Amino acid sequence: MGRRTGQTHVTPSPRLLPWLSPEGNPCYLVTDDNGSRLSRLADDLEAVQLATGTDVLGLARKVLADPASPYTEVRFAGLRLAECLTDALRVAESRGMRVPVPDSEDTGEN
């Protein structure tokens, strides 16, 4: 998780944000305030991305279930599914990075 920088302060781990920089690189946020404006914006965008993925999956299933679906519709569905999967994987990675890692003494290991 975070690093100890003194006796009492823990530097928070960076949060992977649900968007990329203009150059296509990952963006990170380091803050002690999980309720900050930027944290809430990231939370809201993650929720939108996951809801969009659910909607796209439902529509894609209809296209893929119809053997008469035109190639262009199948291709479009596949492209949209790939975009949504990319977003969902980024959300999962970001959330996984924020799950606290138990200390070895908390797990009973020595």
Side-chain angles (χ1 to χ4, degrees):
M1 176 105 163
R3 294 184 322 217
R4 287 203 181 273
T5 59
Q7 299 243 340
T8 58
H9 183 69
V10 175
T11 303
S13 298
R15 175 185 178 167
L16 177 63
L17 295 172
W19 55 80
L20 299 174
S21 73
E23 297 80 27
N25 297 318
C27 294
Y28 294 90
L29 172 66
V30 178
T31 182
D32 290 342
D33 183 5
N34 290 331
S36 70
R37 181 180 289 182
L38 194 53
S39 293
R40 288 191 321 269
L41 177 63
D43 292 341
D44 291 346
L45 183 54
E46 285 180 352
V48 167
Q49 288 174 324
L50 294 175
T52 299
T54 299
D55 292 344
V56 168
L57 180 58
L59 295 170
R61 281 187 171 147
K62 292 177 186 173
V63 169
L64 297 173
D66 182 356
S69 291
Y71 165 80
T72 54
E73 287 184 25
V74 172
R75 186 173 190 284
F76 181 75
L79 292 171
R80 291 298 315 209
L81 287 169
E83 291 170 4
C84 292
L85 179 58
T86 299
D87 290 342
L89 291 173
R90 188 178 304 116
V91 170
E93 180 180 0
S94 176
R95 291 180 180 181
M97 291 168 57
R98 290 181 275 148
V99 172
V101 177
D103 292 336
S104 61
E105 52 191 58
D106 291 343
T107 62
E109 297 175 12
N110 290 331

XYZ file of all heavy atoms in Angstrom:
831
model
N 0.857 -1.170 0.000
C 0.000 0.000 0.000
C 0.894 1.221 0.000
O 1.698 1.381 -0.877
C -0.936 -0.082 1.213
C -1.797 1.117 1.351
S -3.470 0.794 0.866
C -4.179 2.188 1.646
N 0.788 2.097 0.964
C 1.603 3.305 1.000
C 2.938 3.052 1.659
O 3.203 1.994 2.198
N 3.812 4.050 1.633
C 5.117 3.937 2.252
C 5.156 4.812 3.489
O 4.596 5.899 3.510
C 6.195 4.438 1.299
C 6.387 3.627 0.085
C 7.545 4.187 -0.688
N 7.523 5.651 -0.601
C 7.859 6.456 -1.577
N 8.251 5.987 -2.703
N 7.828 7.753 -1.428
N 5.880 4.367 4.489
C 6.103 5.190 5.675
C 7.236 6.156 5.354
O 8.284 5.743 4.903
C 6.484 4.335 6.876
C 5.331 3.558 7.414
C 5.585 3.197 8.865
N 4.468 2.417 9.352
C 3.367 2.931 9.858
N 3.235 4.222 9.973
N 2.388 2.160 10.263
N 6.985 7.436 5.585
C 8.014 8.435 5.331
C 8.547 9.025 6.620
O 9.479 9.774 6.614
C 7.459 9.576 4.450
O 6.345 10.162 5.124
C 7.069 9.062 3.096
N 7.961 8.687 7.716
C 8.390 9.157 9.022
C 7.864 8.175 10.034
O 7.553 7.038 9.712
N 7.754 8.617 11.237
C 7.240 7.729 12.264
C 5.723 7.586 12.184
O 5.193 6.565 12.552
C 7.654 8.265 13.630
C 9.151 8.317 13.783
C 9.614 7.401 14.876
O 8.843 7.023 15.724
N 10.874 7.034 14.837
N 5.014 8.608 11.684
C 3.561 8.556 11.746
C 2.876 8.720 10.403
O 1.712 8.393 10.287
C 3.030 9.673 12.678
O 3.470 10.934 12.182
C 3.518 9.467 14.086
N 3.545 9.238 9.379
C 2.868 9.533 8.114
C 3.099 8.423 7.097
O 4.214 7.974 6.896
C 3.363 10.860 7.536
C 2.645 11.247 6.280
N 1.325 11.628 6.281
C 3.041 11.287 5.001
C 0.953 11.897 5.040
N 1.984 11.690 4.252
N 2.027 7.993 6.462
C 2.109 7.005 5.392
C 1.738 7.706 4.090
O 0.666 8.289 3.979
C 1.141 5.820 5.650
C 1.146 4.872 4.476
C 1.520 5.098 6.923
N 2.648 7.667 3.114
C 2.361 8.250 1.807
C 1.424 7.312 1.075
O 1.724 6.121 0.937
C 3.653 8.419 0.980
O 4.561 9.213 1.726
C 3.364 9.055 -0.363
N 0.264 7.819 0.628
C -0.678 6.928 -0.046
C -0.122 6.415 -1.370
O 0.679 7.084 -2.019
C -1.911 7.802 -0.265
C -1.427 9.204 -0.156
C -0.189 9.192 0.696
N -0.548 5.215 -1.740
C -0.180 4.670 -3.044
C -0.904 5.455 -4.125
O -2.022 5.932 -3.913
C -0.589 3.207 -3.137
O 0.082 2.451 -2.173
N -0.293 5.589 -5.289
C -0.982 6.300 -6.372
C -2.213 5.527 -6.840
O -2.210 4.300 -6.869
C 0.062 6.396 -7.478
C 1.221 5.590 -7.052
C 1.027 5.150 -5.647
N -3.241 6.265 -7.191
C -4.470 5.671 -7.728
C -4.431 5.778 -9.248
O -4.243 6.858 -9.806
C -5.696 6.434 -7.215
C -6.974 5.926 -7.857
C -8.174 6.734 -7.476
N -9.358 6.223 -8.147
C -10.589 6.566 -7.828
N -10.820 7.410 -6.836
N -11.613 6.073 -8.502
N -4.607 4.659 -9.920
C -4.720 4.655 -11.375
C -6.066 5.261 -11.738
O -7.114 4.794 -11.283
C -4.606 3.237 -11.915
C -4.767 3.062 -13.419
C -3.659 3.800 -14.177
C -4.768 1.583 -13.770
N -6.043 6.315 -12.524
C -7.279 7.003 -12.912
C -7.894 6.345 -14.148
O -7.190 5.719 -14.948
C -6.994 8.483 -13.159
C -6.552 9.253 -11.910
C -6.104 10.667 -12.280
C -7.660 9.303 -10.876
N -9.195 6.505 -14.327
C -9.876 5.811 -15.433
C -9.780 6.529 -16.781
O -10.639 6.375 -17.628
C -11.331 5.738 -14.936
C -11.490 6.928 -14.074
C -10.146 7.126 -13.411
N -8.744 7.299 -16.976
C -8.523 7.959 -18.263
C -7.031 7.994 -18.540
O -6.214 7.771 -17.666
C -9.113 9.362 -18.295
C -8.639 10.268 -17.207
C -7.451 10.956 -17.156
C -9.319 10.578 -15.994
N -7.356 11.663 -15.996
C -8.492 11.462 -15.256
C -10.549 10.208 -15.455
C -8.849 11.972 -14.026
C -10.895 10.725 -14.221
C -10.070 11.592 -13.526
N -6.695 8.254 -19.796
C -5.306 8.325 -20.230
C -4.910 9.776 -20.475
O -5.763 10.635 -20.711
C -5.116 7.528 -21.522
C -5.416 6.033 -21.441
C -5.327 5.401 -22.823
C -4.475 5.343 -20.470
N -3.614 10.026 -20.449
C -3.101 11.349 -20.794
C -3.289 11.566 -22.296
O -3.555 10.611 -23.037
C -1.614 11.446 -20.435
O -0.838 10.680 -21.351
N -3.140 12.803 -22.766
C -3.244 13.046 -24.217
C -2.248 12.209 -25.031
O -2.498 11.903 -26.190
C -2.942 14.537 -24.355
C -3.324 15.124 -23.030
C -2.989 14.051 -22.012
N -1.139 11.802 -24.397
C -0.137 10.981 -25.084
C -0.472 9.496 -25.013
O 0.257 8.665 -25.539
C 1.259 11.215 -24.467
C 1.776 12.631 -24.611
C 1.182 13.588 -23.567
O 0.804 13.140 -22.457
O 1.072 14.779 -23.884
N -1.569 9.140 -24.305
C -1.973 7.751 -24.193
C -1.366 7.011 -23.017
O -1.431 5.785 -22.945
N -0.775 7.749 -22.081
C -0.155 7.134 -20.901
C -1.133 7.101 -19.733
O -2.033 7.932 -19.643
C 1.090 7.933 -20.496
C 2.145 7.910 -21.567
O 2.403 6.886 -22.166
N 2.747 9.058 -21.828
N -0.927 6.150 -18.806
C -1.790 6.108 -17.621
C -1.627 7.370 -16.778
O -0.548 7.960 -16.740
C -1.289 4.883 -16.845
C -0.361 4.163 -17.741
C 0.071 5.093 -18.816
N -2.697 7.763 -16.119
C -2.673 8.902 -15.197
C -2.880 8.376 -13.783
O -3.666 7.451 -13.569
C -3.791 9.887 -15.523
S -3.613 10.694 -17.114
N -2.188 8.985 -12.838
C -2.271 8.569 -11.443
C -2.580 9.778 -10.568
O -2.236 10.905 -10.903
C -0.950 7.941 -10.979
C -0.639 6.652 -11.678
C 0.084 6.626 -12.867
C -1.073 5.441 -11.157
C 0.367 5.438 -13.511
C -0.792 4.239 -11.798
C -0.076 4.249 -12.967
O 0.196 3.072 -13.606
N -3.204 9.504 -9.435
C -3.521 10.518 -8.439
C -2.959 10.064 -7.105
O -3.162 8.917 -6.705
C -5.043 10.690 -8.327
C -5.558 11.578 -7.195
C -5.131 13.026 -7.415
C -7.074 11.467 -7.087
N -2.245 10.959 -6.437
C -1.771 10.691 -5.085
C -2.441 11.704 -4.171
O -2.254 12.911 -4.342
C -0.233 10.804 -4.979
C 0.227 10.574 -3.542
C 0.448 9.824 -5.916
N -3.251 11.206 -3.246
C -3.945 12.086 -2.314
C -4.274 11.335 -1.035
O -4.451 10.124 -1.053
C -5.245 12.652 -2.934
O -5.863 13.538 -2.004
C -6.217 11.556 -3.298
N -4.323 12.088 0.047
C -4.771 11.520 1.320
C -6.284 11.568 1.426
O -6.866 10.944 2.302
C -4.195 12.325 2.500
C -2.698 12.139 2.650
O -2.157 11.170 2.103
O -2.073 12.964 3.334
N -6.928 12.318 0.525
C -8.369 12.567 0.598
C -9.097 11.782 -0.486
O -9.172 12.207 -1.636
C -8.635 14.067 0.442
C -10.098 14.437 0.567
O -10.923 13.543 0.868
O -10.418 15.628 0.367
N -9.646 10.618 -0.118
C -10.390 9.807 -1.087
C -11.704 10.461 -1.498
O -12.357 9.986 -2.419
C -10.651 8.412 -0.526
C -9.385 7.603 -0.426
O -8.450 7.797 -1.198
N -9.332 6.705 0.536
N -12.094 11.526 -0.814
C -13.312 12.246 -1.164
C -13.033 13.541 -1.896
O -13.927 14.374 -2.047
N -11.802 13.728 -2.386
C -11.463 14.952 -3.107
C -12.265 15.045 -4.406
O -12.832 14.051 -4.883
C -9.968 14.991 -3.431
O -9.646 14.024 -4.423
N -12.311 16.214 -4.964
C -13.061 16.435 -6.211
C -12.577 15.489 -7.308
O -13.381 14.880 -8.011
C -12.927 17.885 -6.658
C -13.702 18.172 -7.927
C -13.568 19.587 -8.364
N -14.309 20.427 -7.421
C -14.429 21.720 -7.539
N -13.844 22.350 -8.538
N -15.120 22.412 -6.672
N -11.261 15.351 -7.465
C -10.724 14.489 -8.518
C -11.004 13.013 -8.220
O -11.313 12.238 -9.131
C -9.226 14.731 -8.683
C -8.585 14.161 -9.941
C -9.308 14.611 -11.205
C -7.123 14.569 -10.014
N -10.944 12.621 -6.948
C -11.279 11.236 -6.577
C -12.737 10.930 -6.886
O -13.058 9.862 -7.418
C -11.021 11.004 -5.090
O -9.652 11.074 -4.800
N -13.621 11.879 -6.560
C -15.051 11.668 -6.840
C -15.303 11.625 -8.342
O -16.111 10.825 -8.823
C -15.893 12.765 -6.178
C -15.961 12.629 -4.662
C -16.996 13.559 -4.032
N -17.074 14.883 -4.617
C -16.377 15.952 -4.207
N -15.541 15.846 -3.196
N -16.536 17.121 -4.797
N -14.619 12.473 -9.111
C -14.754 12.458 -10.569
C -14.314 11.098 -11.119
O -14.989 10.515 -11.973
C -13.923 13.581 -11.202
C -13.925 13.635 -12.724
C -15.319 13.909 -13.266
C -12.942 14.689 -13.211
N -13.200 10.576 -10.603
C -12.717 9.263 -11.047
C -13.728 8.175 -10.679
O -14.015 7.287 -11.494
C -11.354 8.968 -10.431
N -14.279 8.239 -9.458
C -15.298 7.262 -9.040
C -16.507 7.310 -9.974
O -17.025 6.273 -10.393
C -15.764 7.531 -7.611
C -14.700 7.259 -6.561
O -13.723 6.540 -6.857
O -14.851 7.781 -5.430
N -16.956 8.523 -10.284
C -18.125 8.690 -11.163
C -17.844 8.149 -12.560
O -18.692 7.477 -13.160
C -18.543 10.159 -11.240
C -19.119 10.690 -9.942
O -19.447 9.884 -9.043
O -19.235 11.936 -9.818
N -16.660 8.447 -13.089
C -16.330 7.972 -14.432
C -16.207 6.451 -14.455
O -16.655 5.800 -15.406
C -15.048 8.616 -14.945
C -14.654 8.239 -16.375
C -15.790 8.501 -17.369
C -13.410 8.973 -16.807
N -15.636 5.857 -13.408
C -15.578 4.394 -13.336
C -16.984 3.794 -13.372
O -17.226 2.806 -14.066
C -14.853 3.941 -12.062
C -13.358 4.123 -12.107
C -12.680 3.674 -10.828
O -13.379 3.348 -9.835
O -11.438 3.642 -10.819
N -17.904 4.404 -12.637
C -19.290 3.905 -12.610
C -19.915 4.006 -13.997
O -20.606 3.080 -14.451
C -20.113 4.674 -11.586
N -19.670 5.108 -14.695
C -20.202 5.287 -16.052
C -19.590 4.257 -16.994
O -20.293 3.646 -17.807
C -19.942 6.726 -16.564
C -20.203 6.843 -18.051
C -20.789 7.728 -15.789
N -18.283 4.037 -16.887
C -17.621 3.069 -17.763
C -18.185 1.658 -17.554
O -18.427 0.939 -18.523
C -16.111 3.074 -17.512
C -15.427 4.311 -18.039
C -13.959 4.378 -17.655
O -13.575 3.965 -16.557
N -13.140 4.905 -18.553
N -18.390 1.276 -16.301
C -18.923 -0.064 -16.033
C -20.377 -0.192 -16.497
O -20.762 -1.227 -17.050
C -18.784 -0.397 -14.554
C -17.339 -0.531 -14.053
C -17.314 -0.750 -12.543
C -16.584 -1.621 -14.787
N -21.168 0.849 -16.307
C -22.566 0.822 -16.773
C -22.611 0.770 -18.301
O -23.435 0.041 -18.873
C -23.319 2.043 -16.251
N -21.735 1.513 -18.953
C -21.668 1.482 -20.416
C -21.294 0.084 -20.890
O -21.869 -0.430 -21.853
C -20.649 2.515 -20.932
O -21.071 3.817 -20.528
C -20.522 2.465 -22.450
N -20.355 -0.548 -20.207
C -19.972 -1.913 -20.563
C -21.139 -2.873 -20.461
O -21.322 -3.740 -21.330
N -21.943 -2.720 -19.430
C -23.124 -3.569 -19.269
C -24.102 -3.355 -20.421
O -24.631 -4.324 -20.993
C -23.818 -3.268 -17.923
O -22.894 -3.547 -16.865
C -25.072 -4.093 -17.739
N -24.333 -2.098 -20.788
C -25.238 -1.779 -21.898
C -24.715 -2.334 -23.222
O -25.465 -2.938 -24.001
C -25.441 -0.271 -22.020
C -26.204 0.328 -20.856
O -26.853 -0.434 -20.097
O -26.147 1.567 -20.692
N -23.433 -2.115 -23.487
C -22.834 -2.583 -24.740
C -22.880 -4.109 -24.807
O -23.181 -4.678 -25.865
C -21.392 -2.055 -24.894
C -20.659 -2.751 -26.032
C -21.404 -0.541 -25.118
N -22.617 -4.778 -23.691
C -22.674 -6.238 -23.674
C -24.068 -6.741 -24.030
O -24.221 -7.675 -24.834
C -22.261 -6.767 -22.295
C -22.273 -8.280 -22.111
C -21.354 -8.969 -23.120
C -21.882 -8.634 -20.692
N -25.082 -6.108 -23.478
C -26.460 -6.513 -23.798
C -26.779 -6.338 -25.273
O -27.379 -7.224 -25.902
N -26.370 -5.203 -25.836
C -26.620 -4.961 -27.267
C -25.796 -5.896 -28.146
O -26.284 -6.407 -29.159
C -26.311 -3.503 -27.601
C -27.211 -2.475 -26.922
C -26.660 -1.061 -27.116
C -28.629 -2.577 -27.443
N -24.538 -6.134 -27.758
C -23.674 -7.014 -28.554
C -24.193 -8.446 -28.560
O -24.126 -9.127 -29.588
C -22.251 -6.969 -28.015
N -24.729 -8.885 -27.442
C -25.271 -10.249 -27.392
C -26.387 -10.437 -28.413
O -26.494 -11.499 -29.030
C -25.775 -10.566 -25.985
C -24.675 -10.914 -25.032
C -25.215 -11.374 -23.700
N -24.124 -11.900 -22.888
C -24.069 -11.804 -21.582
N -25.054 -11.219 -20.924
N -23.050 -12.295 -20.918
N -27.222 -9.406 -28.574
C -28.302 -9.499 -29.565
C -27.739 -9.608 -30.975
O -28.205 -10.419 -31.781
C -29.217 -8.281 -29.452
C -30.021 -8.234 -28.173
C -30.846 -6.965 -28.078
C -31.518 -6.863 -26.730
N -32.199 -5.584 -26.529
N -26.739 -8.791 -31.272
C -26.132 -8.816 -32.609
C -25.456 -10.166 -32.845
O -25.609 -10.781 -33.904
C -25.113 -7.667 -32.774
C -24.288 -7.825 -34.040
C -25.827 -6.320 -32.772
N -24.715 -10.641 -31.843
C -23.971 -11.888 -32.000
C -24.877 -13.112 -32.024
O -24.528 -14.139 -32.605
C -22.925 -12.009 -30.888
C -21.850 -10.917 -30.899
C -20.976 -11.024 -29.656
C -21.018 -10.977 -32.162
N -26.051 -13.016 -31.400
C -26.987 -14.147 -31.379
C -27.719 -14.316 -32.702
O -28.244 -15.392 -32.988
C -28.003 -13.961 -30.249
N -27.735 -13.282 -33.521
C -28.450 -13.328 -34.794
C -27.484 -13.724 -35.909
O -26.610 -12.935 -36.288
C -29.061 -11.958 -35.090
C -29.866 -11.928 -36.374
O -29.912 -12.949 -37.095
O -30.450 -10.862 -36.666
N -27.605 -14.927 -36.449
C -26.680 -15.356 -37.501
C -26.787 -14.506 -38.768
O -25.873 -14.528 -39.593
C -27.067 -16.813 -37.780
C -28.283 -17.108 -37.000
C -28.571 -15.955 -36.095
N -27.860 -13.736 -38.896
C -28.025 -12.890 -40.083
C -27.479 -11.478 -39.870
O -27.609 -10.631 -40.748
C -29.504 -12.820 -40.465
N -26.863 -11.218 -38.729
C -26.313 -9.878 -38.477
C -25.242 -9.554 -39.512
O -24.371 -10.387 -39.785
C -25.683 -9.798 -37.084
O -26.658 -9.859 -36.082
N -25.318 -8.356 -40.067
C -24.302 -7.963 -41.062
C -22.906 -7.896 -40.433
O -22.753 -7.579 -39.246
C -24.749 -6.566 -41.506
C -26.165 -6.434 -41.067
C -26.339 -7.335 -39.893
N -21.912 -8.161 -41.237
C -20.514 -8.136 -40.796
C -20.176 -6.822 -40.112
O -19.493 -6.815 -39.080
C -19.602 -8.366 -42.013
C -18.164 -8.017 -41.760
C -17.330 -8.906 -41.088
C -17.633 -6.795 -42.170
C -16.010 -8.595 -40.838
C -16.311 -6.467 -41.918
C -15.507 -7.368 -41.249
O -14.203 -7.051 -40.993
N -20.623 -5.713 -40.660
C -20.275 -4.407 -40.080
C -20.832 -4.254 -38.671
O -20.175 -3.669 -37.811
C -20.773 -3.248 -40.965
O -22.172 -3.416 -41.208
C -20.028 -3.207 -42.289
N -22.023 -4.794 -38.413
C -22.601 -4.716 -37.064
C -21.826 -5.607 -36.099
O -21.582 -5.219 -34.947
C -24.074 -5.109 -37.085
C -24.967 -4.062 -37.699
C -26.441 -4.429 -37.617
O -26.826 -5.206 -36.717
O -27.203 -3.936 -38.453
N -21.442 -6.792 -36.561
C -20.669 -7.705 -35.716
C -19.310 -7.073 -35.393
O -18.856 -7.089 -34.243
C -20.498 -9.076 -36.394
C -19.539 -9.968 -35.615
C -21.852 -9.758 -36.556
N -18.668 -6.500 -36.413
C -17.369 -5.848 -36.201
C -17.501 -4.675 -35.240
O -16.688 -4.506 -34.328
C -16.780 -5.380 -37.526
C -15.385 -4.818 -37.398
C -14.769 -4.531 -38.769
N -13.370 -4.223 -38.659
C -12.885 -3.073 -38.227
N -13.699 -2.110 -37.850
N -11.586 -2.862 -38.152
N -18.528 -3.853 -35.404
C -18.745 -2.717 -34.517
C -18.970 -3.199 -33.083
O -18.410 -2.633 -32.137
C -19.935 -1.875 -34.994
C -20.196 -0.667 -34.137
C -19.373 0.440 -34.218
C -21.255 -0.645 -33.247
C -19.594 1.563 -33.424
C -21.494 0.463 -32.453
C -20.658 1.573 -32.537
N -19.754 -4.248 -32.932
C -19.996 -4.800 -31.600
C -18.683 -5.274 -30.973
O -18.421 -5.025 -29.794
C -21.008 -5.946 -31.668
N -17.861 -5.936 -31.755
C -16.574 -6.411 -31.255
C -15.663 -5.272 -30.837
O -14.993 -5.339 -29.791
N -15.625 -4.219 -31.631
C -14.801 -3.059 -31.288
C -15.283 -2.390 -30.006
O -14.479 -2.030 -29.141
C -14.793 -2.044 -32.439
C -14.072 -2.490 -33.710
C -14.326 -1.497 -34.841
C -12.579 -2.627 -33.442
N -16.582 -2.241 -29.889
C -17.136 -1.622 -28.672
C -16.879 -2.504 -27.453
O -16.574 -2.010 -26.374
C -18.640 -1.368 -28.835
C -19.017 -0.290 -29.825
C -18.466 1.044 -29.404
N -18.744 1.187 -27.976
C -18.938 2.295 -27.320
N -18.855 3.414 -27.924
N -19.190 2.317 -26.030
N -17.027 -3.821 -27.607
C -16.742 -4.732 -26.498
C -15.277 -4.627 -26.072
O -14.970 -4.641 -24.867
C -17.086 -6.173 -26.876
C -18.572 -6.499 -26.940
C -18.791 -7.860 -27.589
C -19.198 -6.454 -25.552
N -14.367 -4.505 -27.038
C -12.942 -4.365 -26.712
C -12.688 -3.065 -25.945
O -11.914 -3.047 -24.980
C -12.097 -4.406 -27.989
N -13.342 -1.984 -26.348
C -13.198 -0.703 -25.637
C -13.708 -0.832 -24.203
O -13.053 -0.371 -23.256
C -13.982 0.403 -26.342
C -13.424 0.820 -27.673
C -14.374 1.736 -28.445
O -15.442 2.117 -27.908
O -14.042 2.075 -29.588
N -14.859 -1.451 -24.044
C -15.455 -1.597 -22.714
C -14.630 -2.528 -21.839
O -14.490 -2.282 -20.632
C -16.893 -2.094 -22.828
S -17.994 -0.864 -23.559
N -14.068 -3.585 -22.423
C -13.218 -4.489 -21.654
C -11.956 -3.761 -21.193
O -11.518 -3.929 -20.055
C -12.861 -5.727 -22.477
C -11.946 -6.740 -21.786
C -12.555 -7.236 -20.475
C -11.644 -7.896 -22.721
N -11.387 -2.936 -22.052
C -10.219 -2.138 -21.680
C -10.539 -1.257 -20.479
O -9.770 -1.180 -19.511
C -9.746 -1.279 -22.866
O -9.377 -2.150 -23.942
C -8.571 -0.400 -22.498
N -11.691 -0.587 -20.529
C -12.106 0.269 -19.410
C -12.312 -0.549 -18.144
O -11.863 -0.158 -17.060
C -13.401 1.016 -19.744
C -13.218 2.092 -20.808
O -12.067 2.513 -21.056
O -14.246 2.520 -21.379
N -12.992 -1.687 -18.260
C -13.281 -2.509 -17.089
C -11.995 -3.056 -16.467
O -11.872 -3.107 -15.235
C -14.223 -3.660 -17.462
N -11.029 -3.440 -17.297
C -9.759 -3.930 -16.773
C -8.993 -2.827 -16.056
O -8.353 -3.064 -15.025
C -8.915 -4.546 -17.891
C -9.443 -5.856 -18.460
C -8.632 -6.276 -19.676
C -9.436 -6.941 -17.398
N -9.060 -1.589 -16.576
C -8.407 -0.467 -15.911
C -9.062 -0.193 -14.563
O -8.390 0.067 -13.562
C -8.429 0.789 -16.775
C -7.580 1.913 -16.161
C -7.516 3.184 -17.005
N -7.034 2.914 -18.342
C -7.767 3.094 -19.460
N -8.991 3.552 -19.393
N -7.256 2.835 -20.632
N -10.398 -0.244 -14.510
C -11.113 -0.056 -13.240
C -10.710 -1.151 -12.253
O -10.417 -0.874 -11.082
C -12.644 -0.044 -13.464
C -13.391 -0.104 -12.140
C -13.068 1.195 -14.254
N -10.659 -2.389 -12.719
C -10.286 -3.508 -11.838
C -8.855 -3.343 -11.334
O -8.580 -3.568 -10.149
C -10.441 -4.842 -12.575
N -7.955 -2.949 -12.202
C -6.566 -2.740 -11.790
C -6.473 -1.620 -10.757
O -5.807 -1.750 -9.731
C -5.689 -2.411 -12.992
C -4.232 -2.189 -12.634
C -3.358 -1.851 -13.829
O -3.856 -1.785 -14.966
O -2.156 -1.633 -13.605
N -7.175 -0.521 -11.014
C -7.160 0.607 -10.090
C -7.702 0.210 -8.726
O -7.110 0.510 -7.687
C -7.985 1.766 -10.669
O -8.059 2.834 -9.751
N -8.817 -0.481 -8.730
C -9.428 -0.886 -7.459
C -8.568 -1.927 -6.746
O -8.445 -1.906 -5.526
C -10.841 -1.391 -7.683
C -11.767 -0.255 -8.106
C -13.175 -0.710 -8.328
N -14.009 0.426 -8.739
C -15.295 0.334 -8.979
N -15.927 -0.819 -8.851
N -15.977 1.400 -9.356
N -7.970 -2.824 -7.507
C -7.085 -3.819 -6.905
C -5.864 -3.192 -6.262
O -5.391 -3.651 -5.211
N -5.344 -2.129 -6.858
C -4.194 -1.439 -6.299
C -4.540 -0.757 -4.976
O -3.651 -0.482 -4.171
C -3.668 -0.394 -7.288
C -3.022 -0.980 -8.527
S -2.703 0.224 -9.842
C -1.680 1.420 -9.024
N -5.830 -0.485 -4.751
C -6.249 0.224 -3.540
C -6.718 -0.707 -2.432
O -7.045 -0.253 -1.345
C -7.351 1.223 -3.885
C -6.797 2.386 -4.700
C -7.866 3.389 -5.040
N -8.553 2.938 -6.248
C -9.829 3.149 -6.510
N -10.580 3.798 -5.685
N -10.360 2.715 -7.639
N -6.738 -2.016 -2.689
C -7.122 -2.969 -1.650
C -5.960 -3.068 -0.667
O -4.830 -3.329 -1.069
C -7.439 -4.361 -2.250
C -7.651 -5.389 -1.166
C -8.640 -4.272 -3.161
N -6.230 -2.847 0.610
C -5.134 -2.908 1.587
C -4.535 -4.296 1.666
O -5.240 -5.298 1.627
C -5.783 -2.525 2.912
C -7.209 -2.221 2.637
C -7.505 -2.536 1.215
N -3.229 -4.344 1.763
C -2.515 -5.597 1.921
C -2.320 -5.810 3.417
O -1.746 -4.956 4.089
C -1.150 -5.555 1.205
C -0.373 -6.839 1.445
C -1.332 -5.285 -0.272
N -2.812 -6.924 3.954
C -2.669 -7.147 5.389
C -1.211 -7.332 5.778
O -0.423 -7.887 5.020
C -3.475 -8.417 5.665
C -3.684 -9.059 4.349
C -3.504 -8.006 3.285
N -0.875 -6.848 6.961
C 0.466 -7.090 7.506
C 0.598 -8.572 7.796
O -0.387 -9.262 8.062
C 0.675 -6.301 8.800
C 0.734 -4.801 8.559
O 1.071 -4.399 7.433
O 0.422 -4.041 9.502
N 1.817 -9.076 7.797
C 2.019 -10.509 8.050
C 1.524 -10.903 9.431
O 1.047 -12.013 9.628
C 3.478 -10.887 7.875
O 4.278 -10.173 8.799
N 1.572 -10.002 10.402
C 1.076 -10.340 11.733
C -0.431 -10.405 11.760
O -1.009 -11.088 12.593
C 1.617 -9.379 12.784
C 1.411 -7.915 12.441
C 2.190 -6.985 13.364
O 3.411 -7.102 13.435
O 1.540 -6.150 13.999
N -1.125 -9.712 10.826
C -2.573 -9.770 10.750
C -3.049 -11.112 10.183
O -4.144 -11.549 10.436
C -3.133 -8.649 9.867
C -2.972 -7.278 10.503
O -2.733 -7.217 11.732
O -3.092 -6.269 9.780
N -2.218 -11.763 9.360
C -2.614 -13.013 8.714
C -2.229 -14.233 9.533
O -2.560 -15.351 9.157
C -1.974 -13.126 7.317
O -0.558 -13.146 7.482
C -2.404 -11.995 6.420
N -1.497 -14.023 10.620
C -1.086 -15.137 11.449
C 0.198 -15.778 10.988
O 0.653 -16.768 11.534
N 0.830 -15.234 9.923
C 2.098 -15.774 9.424
C 3.232 -15.184 10.223
O 3.174 -14.070 10.713
C 2.274 -15.427 7.940
C 1.226 -16.043 7.056
C 1.361 -15.575 5.619
O 2.390 -14.967 5.292
O 0.444 -15.818 4.851
N 4.318 -15.913 10.339
C 5.506 -15.421 11.042
C 6.672 -15.308 10.121
O 6.895 -15.841 9.188
C 5.864 -16.324 12.219
C 4.823 -16.187 13.322
O 4.214 -15.132 13.468
N 4.655 -17.248 14.071
